[in-house]
Amino acid sequence: MSNVYSPDRTNKTSQAFRPFYQTDINADVSYNLKEAQYSSKKLSNETAIGKAITDRVIQFTLGQGLFPQSAPERSLLNVSDEEYKRFTSQAESFWRYITDTKDFDYYKRNTFVQLQRIALRNILDSGDVLLHRYYRSKYNAYKPAIQLISGNSVYSPTTSLDTKKRIGGVELDEKGKERGYWIAQSDDNLHDTFSSKLFYKYNRGFEEFSLIALNIVEANQVRGIPLLASVRDAILDTTVFTRATIQKALVQSLFTVFIEHEPEVAESNTFYPTIENLSRQAQELTGKEDISDIGFALSSGNAVSLAQGEKVKLVESTAPSTDYGAFIDSMLDQIGAAMSIPREILKESFTASFSASRGSLGCAEKGFTIYRKDMADNFCQPVWEQVTDYGIRIGEINAPGYMDGNERVKKAWLSATWIGQGGVSINPVQEVNAYKTAVEAGFCTHEMAVRNLYGKDFEETADRLKKEKEMIDNDSNGS
C-alpha cells in the first residue's frame, strides 16, 4: 500500500505518484497515521521550516490566548438589561476564577491559556488531541478541570487490527459514533509498554473524553492528519539542499598550499614532508605496498610540499550555491501556498511594498481565522460550557430559567464569543483610519473595529475609556 501523504520516498512501495485512494478514508489515514505523526513531529522540532510553520500557526491563531465574551441570546431568553449584564459579568468573572489557576490543569502545571497553545501544538503535530473534561475533588467539593492527552497516545492494542468499530485507537458504536478511546499505557519506569487501555467517552456524567482533530476532509473521518504531512518531502528537499550548500561553503573555506621544489631540495633531505617521503614512511610503518587509501586531506592553513614532477590541480565546486536564496524562496512559496502562509510570514521578513506586505498578511489571516474558529468551537467553547454550567449550579452565576430543563434555553445562556489577538499592523495610522471610515460609513461596528485591530472586548474597552475620561475630567476640575 502506497502512502497517502506523499507522492514519493515515504516508503518502499511508494516510488511513483499514488494511483488511487481507498474507498474508506479511515483505512488510509489510520494505516499511515503513526508514520505521519512521527515525521511531522520530527519536522516541527528539528527543521527550521517545519518549526517556523508550526510556530506561525500558533502565534497568529492564539497569540496570548483566546478569551471568552459571554453573549447569551437575548431574543430567546427575554431578560432585562440588568439581568443580562449581571449574568455576563458573573460568568466572565467566574471563568477567570476557575481557569486562571493551575488547579484547572490535571497536572497542575498550566493555566487554560497555556493549555490552548499546548493543545494546538499537539493537534498540528499529531493530527488531533484528546480533551478530557472532568471534576476534581478538593476539600469535599468538586471543581471542573481538564486534561490533555496527545494524539500520539491514542492507538489500538498492538494485537488488534482496525475494524469498522475500532479505527486508529477510537472505539465506535454501530452507527459509527465515537464511544471510547484506547490510550497508551507505560510501566513504572515510563517505558512504553506498547499496550493501550480503553476509556469510554462518557463516565456517569462526571467526565467526558473528546477527540479534537485537524484536516478532516470527509464526513466519516475519525482521526486527523498532521499539518506538515502534505509538505514533508518539500521541507526535506529544502533541508538537504541547505546542508549541501553548507558543505560546499565549508570546503571552499579550507585553504591548502602545495609547494613544488627543485630536484636537489627534495633529494637532499629525505625527511622533508613531501608526498613521496610521506608515502615511503607510510609503507614502512604499515608494511603495506599498496597505500592508495592513505593521502592528504584539505584543512585550514595546511601546507604540503610536492616533489619534482608532482603537480596538483585544485578542484572548484560547481554546486549552484549562488542560487541558494532563489531556490529557498521558490520552495517557501510552494510550501507557503500549501499551508496558506505566504513566504514573508514564514520568514517574518517584509521587504516588499506596503501593499504587497499587507496583502500577504491579509491572505495569511484568512487561514489563521479558520484555525481560530476551530479552536474556539471544538476546544474552548465546550470548556466554557462546563465551567459556566458548574457556576450556575452552585449559585455563583444567576441565569433565570436555566435549571428548568429546556436545552434551547441552556444553550442560549451558554453562548459566548471568543476573542483573539488583533491583526499585525504594518501602518497603524492608515489601518485605524480605514476602520474609522468604515464605522462612519456603517460598513462595520465599533466592536468589530476594536476586536480586529487590538483583539479586545469592546464593552470592557468602552467602560475603561469612560472611567479614564471621568478621571481626567475630575483632575481638570480639581486643578
Side-chain angles (χ1 to χ4, degrees):
M1 177 178 178
S2 55
N3 192 286
V4 66
Y5 304 109
S6 176
D8 55 15
R9 292 205 324 272
T10 52
N11 58 35
K12 293 181 180 179
T13 60
S14 182
Q15 301 300 325
F17 190 77
R18 184 181 180 84
F20 69 94
Y21 285 91
Q22 295 198 40
T23 304
D24 191 341
I25 183 66
N26 292 312
D28 283 318
V29 174
S30 179
Y31 182 86
N32 297 282
L33 185 59
K34 277 301 175 186
E35 179 191 354
Q37 288 176 337
Y38 292 151
S39 60
S40 293
K41 181 170 287 189
K42 188 177 180 68
L43 289 175
S44 67
N45 285 289
E46 300 181 19
T47 66
I49 296 176
K51 187 176 186 305
I53 293 173
T54 304
D55 287 351
R56 296 300 174 274
V57 172
I58 296 174
Q59 172 186 350
F60 281 84
T61 300
L62 300 178
Q64 296 181 356
L66 303 183
F67 299 91
Q69 178 182 357
S70 179
E73 297 181 34
R74 299 187 64 174
S75 59
L76 178 65
L77 297 174
N78 192 26
V79 294
S80 65
D81 290 344
E82 182 180 351
E83 289 175 320
Y84 182 88
K85 286 185 177 181
R86 181 170 61 245
F87 174 85
T88 57
S89 176
Q90 290 176 346
E92 292 173 12
S93 176
F94 188 74
W95 167 263
R96 290 190 293 270
Y97 162 68
I98 294 293
T99 64
D100 283 354
T101 171
K102 294 181 180 179
D103 281 343
F104 189 63
D105 177 19
Y106 174 87
Y107 303 102
K108 296 188 176 183
R109 297 193 188 102
N110 303 281
T111 64
F112 183 67
V113 168
Q114 294 168 324
L115 289 173
Q116 290 180 35
R117 290 191 286 268
I118 295 172
L120 182 54
R121 185 173 292 276
N122 267 263
I123 293 172
L124 299 178
D125 284 348
S126 304
D128 42 41
V129 69
L130 192 62
L131 172 63
H132 176 208
R133 291 182 287 144
Y134 70 105
Y135 290 86
R136 186 198 302 275
S137 176
K138 187 175 182 179
Y139 305 128
N140 296 323
Y142 288 89
K143 283 187 176 182
I146 64 173
Q147 177 188 16
L148 294 180
I149 302 172
S150 171
N152 283 331
S153 299
V154 179
Y155 56 77
S156 300
T158 54
T159 57
S160 302
L161 297 175
D162 281 355
T163 65
K164 289 185 177 180
K165 293 186 177 181
R166 181 183 299 157
I167 297 173
V170 180
E171 198 78 9
L172 306 175
D173 61 15
E174 292 78 6
K175 296 182 179 180
K177 298 179 180 179
E178 299 175 13
R179 61 185 293 265
Y181 306 93
W182 292 85
I183 302 175
Q185 304 294 301
S186 58
D187 60 20
D188 292 338
N189 295 320
L190 297 182
H191 295 147
D192 196 338
T193 61
F194 298 101
S195 63
S196 52
K197 179 181 177 181
L198 178 62
F199 291 81
Y200 287 100
K201 184 176 181 65
Y202 302 103
N203 182 13
R204 297 174 296 179
F206 291 105
E207 58 181 331
E208 178 181 352
F209 290 88
S210 53
L211 195 68
I212 303 169
L214 177 75
N215 286 333
I216 299 299
V217 295
E218 295 192 19
N220 65 325
Q221 183 178 333
V222 175
R223 298 301 304 268
I225 301 174
L227 177 70
L228 300 180
S230 60
V231 293
R232 179 171 49 187
D233 283 353
I235 295 176
L236 290 175
D237 288 341
T238 305
T239 303
V240 170
F241 186 82
T242 298
R243 290 175 179 171
T245 303
I246 293 173
Q247 288 287 349
K248 182 202 174 194
L250 178 62
V251 170
Q252 291 183 332
S253 70
L254 301 176
F255 185 66
T256 298
V257 177
F258 292 86
I259 305 172
E260 184 177 357
H261 296 277
E262 295 298 326
E264 59 274 9
V265 176
E267 293 174 358
S268 62
N269 190 347
T270 58
F271 296 99
Y272 203 87
T274 64
I275 293 180
E276 181 181 2
N277 290 338
L278 291 175
S279 298
R280 188 184 306 111
Q281 292 177 16
Q283 287 178 333
E284 294 174 355
L285 291 174
T286 61
K288 296 180 180 179
E289 292 294 333
D290 183 11
I291 57 169
S292 57
D293 58 336
I294 301 177
F296 293 96
L298 293 175
S299 63
S300 182
N302 191 28
V304 180
S305 296
L306 300 178
Q308 182 186 22
E310 292 182 334
K311 295 181 182 290
V312 69
K313 180 180 180 181
L314 298 179
V315 179
E316 180 68 21
S317 172
T318 57
S321 59
T322 54
D323 298 329
Y324 174 76
F327 173 80
I328 293 297
D329 284 347
S330 175
M331 293 300 294
L332 289 180
D333 284 338
Q334 297 181 48
I335 294 171
M339 298 287 100
S340 296
I341 306 176
R343 167 164 45 96
E344 293 85 355
I345 309 296
L346 278 178
K347 297 171 64 176
E348 288 191 340
S349 174
F350 299 92
T351 57
S353 64
F354 171 81
S355 299
S357 299
R358 184 64 258 178
S360 294
L361 284 169
C363 291
E365 286 170 355
K366 286 184 178 180
F368 295 132
T369 54
I370 296 175
Y371 291 116
R372 183 178 298 179
K373 177 66 173 173
D374 287 345
M375 283 294 292
D377 291 346
N378 300 320
F379 180 74
C380 297
Q381 183 63 25
V383 179
W384 163 267
E385 293 177 2
Q386 176 193 10
V387 172
T388 307
D389 175 83
Y390 170 77
I392 295 173
R393 292 180 183 279
I394 66 173
E396 290 285 343
I397 305 173
N398 184 31
Y402 184 88
M403 303 299 294
D404 294 344
N406 188 319
E407 289 298 321
R408 180 82 185 277
V409 171
K410 286 185 177 181
K411 281 293 183 183
W413 277 116
L414 296 177
S415 178
T417 300
W418 290 88
I419 301 173
Q421 70 176 15
V424 177
S425 181
I426 297 178
N427 189 329
V429 174
Q430 187 174 5
E431 293 172 20
V432 168
N433 286 334
Y435 271 101
K436 181 180 178 181
T437 303
V439 170
E440 293 173 350
F443 297 147
C444 77
T445 64
H446 287 86
E447 182 178 10
M448 293 169 59
V450 171
R451 184 182 304 170
N452 293 339
L453 282 171
Y454 303 106
K456 301 295 183 181
D457 184 306
F458 172 72
E459 293 184 3
E460 181 180 342
T461 302
D463 289 341
R464 185 61 186 169
L465 288 172
K466 181 179 178 181
K467 292 178 181 178
E468 289 180 356
K469 186 177 186 303
E470 291 174 353
M471 292 173 62
I472 294 172
D473 291 342
N474 291 334
D475 289 342
S476 298
N477 295 331
S479 60

